[in-house]
Amino acid sequence: MKAQVKLLTKAIGLRPDIVWCFDPYRFLNLKWFKASVNIFFAADLFYYDHLPEEAFTADVCLGVSDTIVELLKPACKTAHFINHGVNRHFTRIAQEALDQLPGTIHPKSKITVGYVGNLLMEAPDRNTMKKVISAHPDTQFVFWGQYEIKGNFVAFDKPEVFDFVRFLQSQPNVVLRGAVHPSVLSEEVKMADMFWVCWQTTTSKMWDGSNSHKILEYLSTGKPVVSHYMSTYRDNNIIDMLDSKDNSEYLSLFSQILKRVRSGELTDLQRDRILFAMENSYRSHIAGIEKLIESRFS
């Protein structure tokens, strides 16, 4: 890998000022680039038993959840939390939603619940999700995300994954939209009255449920979000989540929020969600990282 780094810098023709590494366990020693600043960005939990070597050679480490940051601290003295980002399509609909306030949401008689994410990945708690869908036949569930087995984008080739897809296809109250471009997704999610995310939080090394980028996309609409216990959001009330990693009460929580949505959502709750999403735009995060670097190296 050291030889590869030399080839990369030779191809660039200049010594890089900053190296920003998103890929753990690959380049091993960021100092090989001889840059002035080395950044390691951890967007997911680490899939090996040891911390990425890049974290030990970074000047600044960034993690997208509280648990990731805690893992990074022994390797990197400058380990900071930075949330996922909202792209320009969702910042636009966030502004639109904000402009439409004040008011309360009084949805149509049939509630639409939205879910965004790859349905072939390991994370979803499929058994709990089946229970929720079966228990609410008068509620429409719309899924955006890959569910078809094509190409090489099957994240986990396990029987329960495909059993779940077949279950969804068989339910009259489920609509599978598949993977769509963010510009399309940002428009279509407006149809939802509420959103949900329900992950396994105790059975996988790669998914502890501590954060998810889809949360910010949900919040940009101002609509309610029902979630498993998500530790990154434990100190605020902008999502409705369980108070422990045990998902046994998820169905009860979902039904409770569904009932609340039917009665109408308060303006203040909607505004808080929208503003939180807007504060986490990619543009604002880049500005924050720049300030962090300036304070660290000035």
Side-chain angles (χ1 to χ4, degrees), residues 76-111:
C76 186
K77 293 180 180 179
T78 312
H80 290 267
F81 167 73
I82 182 167
N83 207 347
H84 290 288
V86 184
N87 68 36
R88 60 188 175 87
H89 302 292
F90 284 91
T91 54
R92 176 180 53 77
I93 69 166
Q95 186 62 58
E96 291 175 1
L98 192 63
D99 292 341
Q100 292 171 6
L101 296 178
T104 57
I105 299 173
H106 291 290
K108 47 199 175 295
S109 57
K110 189 169 188 176
I111 302 293

Side-chain angles (χ1 to χ4, degrees), residues 206-225:
M206 289 188 66
W207 315 101
D208 72 341
S210 56
N211 203 356
S212 167
H213 74 275
K214 65 171 65 74
I215 293 297
L216 292 172
E217 295 179 352
Y218 292 167
L219 294 174
S220 66
T221 67
K223 309 293 179 61
V225 180

Side-chain angles (χ1 to χ4, degrees), residues 28-270:
L28 307 181
N29 190 338
L30 298 182
K31 295 186 184 301
W32 288 339
F33 286 94
K34 298 180 180 180
S36 300
V37 180
N38 297 310
I39 304 172
F40 174 61
F41 191 106
D44 292 297
L45 281 175
F46 315 119
Y47 41 85
Y48 292 136
D49 292 331
H50 63 281
L51 290 175
E53 290 84 350
E54 293 85 353
F56 289 91
T57 57
D59 300 299
V60 176
C61 288
L62 304 172
V64 295
S65 80
D66 57 331
T67 55
I68 291 175
V69 172
E70 286 303 311
L71 287 171
L72 287 171
K73 284 181 178 179
C76 186
K77 293 180 180 179
T78 312
H80 290 267
F81 167 73
I82 182 167
N83 207 347
H84 290 288
V86 184
N87 68 36
R88 60 188 175 87
H89 302 292
F90 284 91
T91 54
R92 176 180 53 77
I93 69 166
Q95 186 62 58
E96 291 175 1
L98 192 63
D99 292 341
Q100 292 171 6
L101 296 178
T104 57
I105 299 173
H106 291 290
K108 47 199 175 295
S109 57
K110 189 169 188 176
I111 302 293
T112 297
V113 180
Y115 180 95
V116 180
N118 177 10
L119 294 173
L120 303 179
M121 67 192 295
E122 181 187 17
D125 181 347
R126 294 175 172 82
N127 289 332
T128 299
M129 293 176 73
K130 285 181 179 180
K131 292 177 183 178
V132 170
I133 293 169
S134 299
H136 300 93
D138 295 330
T139 299
Q140 183 180 58
F141 294 85
V142 181
F143 290 83
W144 290 272
Q146 172 133 1
Y147 69 92
E148 296 175 298
I149 307 168
K150 59 182 180 180
N152 59 355
F153 199 58
V154 179
F156 293 92
D157 188 4
K158 295 183 178 180
E160 59 266 28
V161 173
F162 308 119
D163 288 344
F164 181 61
V165 172
R166 285 190 288 270
F167 167 81
L168 294 177
Q169 291 172 322
S170 70
Q171 300 305 299
N173 60 334
V174 170
V175 176
L176 295 172
R177 287 287 294 117
V180 298
H181 189 273
S183 60
V184 176
L185 177 64
S186 61
E187 288 298 319
E188 292 192 357
V189 294
K190 294 178 183 178
M191 75 170 68
D193 302 298
M194 59 184 281
F195 296 91
W196 64 323
V197 55
C198 183
W199 283 7
Q200 308 170 61
T201 56
T202 59
T203 59
S204 172
K205 289 175 62 178
M206 289 188 66
W207 315 101
D208 72 341
S210 56
N211 203 356
S212 167
H213 74 275
K214 65 171 65 74
I215 293 297
L216 292 172
E217 295 179 352
Y218 292 167
L219 294 174
S220 66
T221 67
K223 309 293 179 61
V225 180
V226 184
S227 173
H228 58 265
Y229 176 70
M230 196 167 289
S231 58
T232 296
Y233 288 89
R234 66 180 179 271
D235 294 327
N236 59 51
N237 63 352
I238 58 172
I239 66 174
D240 295 285
M241 67 179 183
L242 297 172
D243 56 10
S244 76
K245 288 191 173 184
D246 181 1
N247 281 351
S248 60
E249 296 299 317
Y250 189 95
L251 174 57
S252 176
L253 174 65
F254 184 95
S255 300
Q256 175 187 334
I257 305 307
L258 184 65
K259 183 178 180 180
R260 192 184 78 199
V261 170
R262 289 187 187 281
S263 65
E265 277 284 292
L266 298 175
T267 300
D268 287 347
L269 285 173
Q270 299 172 60

